[in-house]
Amino acid sequence: MSRSQWRADETKRDPHAHYAQGVAAIFIHHTDTPNDYKCADVPRTLRNLYTGQTRDQKWGDLGYNFLVDKCGNIYEGRAGGTDRPVIGSHTIGFNQSTTGIAAIGTYGPGTPVPAAMERGIAALAAWKLGLRGVDPTSKVRLTSTNDKSRYTKGTSATFNAISGHRDGFATDCPGEALFARLPAIRQLAADLQGRSARPLFGADRPVSGAPGQPRTS
């Protein structure tokens, strides 16, 4: 679902999007909002998140590049072009060359992660990483740009191509339950890219191949 479809008020955001050279990794988040929502009501939730992150957090726009609901529907978050490497405000120190995908809800210990949500995240990750030929099961190196991250500014660290918010910042996000599902999401994303179960190349090396764009509602 595009920003216009969930009725984002474009007057609230910074009109200038900022871009990286490409997307090398994805950080998975949860929105820390209630889970008992109806998927038809998600646009209202997005508008509330948008207001909070622009007015209260002063992030200039939604921090996440994309959001996925429990029905597997994919929503455009930060403006600037879904197929472009838009720099978000989702993982302090590692917003450059990454995409932030937020699962709508709260996924702490013992909370089931809906299968449709996992499939939506995996499909989106497969497509977004595939634009640069990145294997979802590979490792990538990223350099911190902020001392408030888990790594001091200028430090290069190795991450999974699909990592959790907590891997780059001191937080419980994306929740224990969703974090535990990341290996399965990585493998599903790789399968959707048409890759074998074992990465074809070693850590830090991108490989070729790009899947089709995932379905959005």
Side-chain angles (χ1 to χ4, degrees):
M1 182 178 287
S2 67
R3 289 173 63 91
S4 62
Q5 288 174 307
W6 59 261
R7 302 197 304 279
D9 181 351
E10 303 297 0
T11 66
K12 292 181 177 180
R13 68 174 176 86
D14 179 351
H16 304 291
H18 302 279
Y19 299 93
Q21 293 300 309
V23 172
I26 287 172
F27 283 101
I28 305 298
H29 305 254
H30 66 173
T31 57
D32 201 22
T33 52
N35 293 351
D36 59 350
Y37 60 87
K38 295 180 180 179
C39 293
D41 295 332
V42 166
R44 182 171 63 245
T45 298
L46 297 187
R47 292 193 294 273
N48 290 338
L49 286 169
Y50 180 43
T51 296
Q53 294 183 4
T54 52
R55 183 191 64 195
D56 304 331
Q57 301 292 338
K58 301 189 184 306
W59 287 349
D61 197 348
L62 271 172
Y64 316 117
N65 297 93
F66 299 93
L67 302 95
V68 180
D69 69 20
K70 62 186 178 182
C71 297
N73 298 312
I74 297 168
Y75 302 84
E76 179 183 7
R78 180 157 290 221
T82 57
D83 61 344
R84 302 185 66 186
V86 180
I87 299 172
S89 299
H90 52 85
T91 306
I92 291 177
F94 298 102
N95 290 310
Q96 291 278 347
S97 301
T98 66
T99 286
I101 300 175
I104 299 173
T106 302
Y107 295 96
T111 303
V113 181
M117 173 178 278
E118 287 192 26
R119 289 193 297 270
I121 292 172
L124 176 56
W127 168 69
K128 194 66 178 179
L129 291 174
L131 293 176
R132 199 180 180 190
V134 178
D135 183 338
T137 62
S138 69
K139 304 284 187 179
V140 299
R141 291 194 69 79
L142 303 173
T143 300
S144 174
T145 62
N146 195 309
D147 288 332
K148 293 182 180 180
S149 78
R150 283 193 179 275
Y151 301 89
T152 57
K153 183 177 180 180
T155 300
S156 179
T158 299
F159 293 88
N160 289 300
I162 300 177
S163 289
H165 185 190
R166 65 175 63 181
D167 292 315
F169 184 71
T171 176
D172 290 335
C173 183
E176 291 292 338
L178 182 52
F179 188 77
R181 297 300 302 164
L182 293 188
I185 289 171
R186 291 182 197 113
Q187 189 55 60
L188 178 54
D191 292 345
L192 290 170
Q193 284 190 351
R195 300 179 185 274
S196 62
R198 181 177 299 176
L200 300 178
F201 292 84
D204 309 332
R205 185 174 179 181
V207 296
S208 61
Q213 184 171 353
R215 175 187 61 80
T216 57
S217 64

